[in-house]
């Protein structure tokens, strides 16, 4: 069955909340663009690419991070990476993709709009 997995954030008081409509600025990227993952999360967090384009995630620092699929039209994920390691994935079909780091699920999120 189709299940929607909410992105959850961490409030200043330590409670969790569902991220419904983040005000993250949208940044248009070219195929092959690098998204850095580090202590501050995914940078940039909200991106737009064309269908068929790919993104490359690069982990800054020694802490492990990954990309996991929450919602969208096709599965996108990586294994855990650290120390400058990279992984690229193509987004084959248009849609709204919600991603997160499964090692830091309430502090690290990314939204990819594929046109």
């Amino acid at each position: 069955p189709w299940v929607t997995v909410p992105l959850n954030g961490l409030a200043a008081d330590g409670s969790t909340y569902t991220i419904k409509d983040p005000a993250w600025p949208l940044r248009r990227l070219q195929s092959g663009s690098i998204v850095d993952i580090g202590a501050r999360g995914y940078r940039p967090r909200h991106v737009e690419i064309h269908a068929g384009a790919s993104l490359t995630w690069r982990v800054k620092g020694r802490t492990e991070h990954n990309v996991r699929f929450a919602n969208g039209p096709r599965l996108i994920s990586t294994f855990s990476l650290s120390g400058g390691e990279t992984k690229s994935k193509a987004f084959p079909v248009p849609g709204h993709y919600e991603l997160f780091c499964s090692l830091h699920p309430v502090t690290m999120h990314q939204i990819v709009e594929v046109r």
Side-chain angles (χ1 to χ4, degrees):
W2 185 268
V3 176
T4 299
V5 177
L7 293 180
N8 294 302
L10 187 62
D13 66 1
S15 64
T16 59
Y17 65 95
T18 300
I19 299 169
K20 294 187 179 188
D21 191 21
W24 307 333
L26 180 65
R27 185 163 166 205
R28 289 183 178 90
L29 299 179
Q30 299 296 316
S31 184
S33 290
I34 293 175
V35 173
D36 285 320
I37 309 173
R40 295 180 54 225
Y42 297 85
R43 293 293 184 254
R45 293 195 300 181
H46 190 189
V47 301
E48 180 182 81
I49 58 176
H50 292 289
S54 66
L55 290 176
T56 298
W57 293 276
R58 175 177 60 194
V59 174
K60 307 287 264 184
R62 294 170 32 159
T63 301
E64 285 191 353
H65 299 290
N66 57 44
V67 177
R68 292 292 190 258
F69 176 82
N71 299 294
R74 296 287 189 274
L75 179 65
I76 298 288
S77 68
T78 72
F79 47 85
S80 292
L81 307 164
S82 67
E85 292 180 310
T86 63
K87 184 65 178 175
S88 298
K89 292 285 183 170
F91 289 76
V93 299
H96 176 86
Y97 293 77
E98 296 179 345
L99 309 171
F100 68 101
C101 173
S102 67
L103 303 172
H104 309 96
V106 294
T107 59
M108 302 181 79
H109 315 95
Q110 183 176 44
I111 295 176
V112 179
E113 309 291 355
V114 180
R115 306 285 180 227

